[in-house]
Amino acid sequence: MSRIQQAFDNARKSGRAAFIPYLPAGYPSKAQFVKDALALLEQADLMEIGLPYSDPLGDGPTIQRATEKVLRQGFTMLDFFDAIREVRKQTDKALLVMTYYNPILAWGEEAFIRDVKEAGIDGLILPDLPPDEADTLIPLAEKYDVKLTFLIAPTSTPNRVELVARSCTGFVYAVSVVGVTGARSGEALYEVPDLVKLAKQHTGLPVAVGFGVSDRASAAKIASVADGVVVGSAFINTIEKGGDLTGLARNIFDGTYKAS
């Protein structure tokens, strides 16, 4: 069983949705990123590590601002792999890379899959690569045992949801709202239940929900219908302001318990 599946299973047995924090690699600095990632992993079931990219179309202003800062500091692809290795040395939990396709294409598909696997990554989350255009990447991921996660959104047609759900090998990532990432109020998450229900008609894999989760209340709304809760911008905002990152992680973790 993969670390990813094991993480979701362990959370389910504990009566929770899996807690999945996100941070961009190298933010706010190489050393602090590793410290913050390990702090979040104390609460997390698995973690997304973002590959800083100059044109993050699916990300809102918070993540854009963070990744721009990292890139201005001269962060490179080699730094990215080093960051993953540093985190992997200190955790056995599942680690995933969230990346747009262009950096993969530029590095070379097989080289990228091989190098992230060597660094300790279990899966990729691909926000801008639909599975019907991943015909060369999918067999490479299978070759190196790197799980793939594609995205669905409230605007996805039933046929598109079926295609994505059947193509995922890690988990299905359901975007909670139309638009970009960023903390929102819980009222913006009303489309989630039907989207998760539709995805589960086509796969036995877990379905995690991201975009818009910022606190215990919004995490609880997601946890009531999904297998995983993804949180990113709220942590970056907290780091920016010098806030209590561990405290926020504990607060959101508490929201992942499903009501009995």
Side-chain angles (χ1 to χ4, degrees):
M1 180 181 291
S2 72
R3 284 194 186 104
I4 297 171
Q5 187 63 55
Q6 189 66 59
F8 280 100
D9 285 356
N10 290 344
R12 177 178 51 78
K13 291 174 183 175
S14 299
R16 296 185 291 108
F19 171 38
I20 313 170
Y22 162 97
L23 281 183
Y27 180 81
S29 66
K30 294 178 186 176
Q32 191 61 44
F33 162 75
V34 175
K35 292 179 181 177
D36 289 343
L38 294 173
L40 292 174
L41 279 162
E42 290 182 7
Q43 297 291 324
D45 296 285
L46 52 167
M47 183 168 186
E48 292 182 22
I49 299 175
L51 172 55
Y53 176 52
S54 60
D55 195 18
L57 297 176
D59 291 314
T62 300
I63 294 178
Q64 287 188 23
R65 189 167 59 246
T67 54
E68 286 171 4
K69 178 177 180 177
V70 173
L71 293 174
R72 283 199 304 271
Q73 292 170 345
F75 196 80
T76 67
M77 188 71 90
L78 293 177
D79 293 326
F80 176 68
F81 294 127
D82 287 343
I84 295 170
R85 291 188 191 96
E86 286 300 313
V87 176
R88 173 52 75 205
K89 284 178 184 175
Q90 301 181 63
T91 184
D92 290 326
K93 293 185 177 178
L95 302 176
L96 299 102
V97 170
M98 186 164 187
T99 178
Y100 297 89
Y101 180 62
N102 200 45
I104 299 175
L105 184 63
W107 195 255
E109 284 188 331
E110 181 157 10
F112 187 86
I113 295 285
R114 180 196 64 217
D115 291 347
V116 293
K117 181 68 177 182
E118 181 274 333
I121 286 296
D122 301 291
L124 300 182
I125 300 170
L126 302 161
D128 66 343
L129 182 66
D132 38 349
E133 295 183 17
D135 55 334
T136 54
L137 192 68
I138 288 173
L140 288 171
E142 183 176 359
K143 174 182 176 181
Y144 289 95
D145 191 25
V146 172
K147 306 303 183 185
L148 296 182
T149 288
F150 303 100
L151 277 66
I152 54 175
T155 52
S156 299
T157 65
N159 287 341
R160 175 58 53 175
V161 171
E162 179 177 2
L163 172 65
V164 170
R166 292 186 184 281
S167 301
C168 291
T169 54
F171 64 91
V172 179
Y173 191 128
V175 174
S176 63
V177 293
V178 177
V180 296
T181 62
R184 292 177 173 85
S185 67
E187 288 74 14
L189 307 176
Y190 64 89
E191 295 178 291
V192 168
D194 288 345
L195 184 62
V196 172
K197 183 178 180 181
L198 182 58
K200 282 184 169 293
Q201 292 176 6
H202 303 294
T203 182
L205 291 176
V207 180
V209 174
F211 287 34
V213 183
S214 60
D215 53 23
R216 177 174 177 164
S218 49
K221 286 181 178 291
I222 297 296
S224 67
V225 297
D227 303 303
V229 179
V230 183
V231 187
S233 295
F235 292 127
I236 295 171
N237 285 330
T238 299
I239 293 170
E240 274 188 335
K241 297 173 182 175
D244 182 1
L245 188 67
T246 301
L248 178 60
R250 287 174 180 160
N251 178 272
I252 293 175
F253 176 85
D254 288 343
T256 62
Y257 279 95
K258 295 179 180 291
S260 58

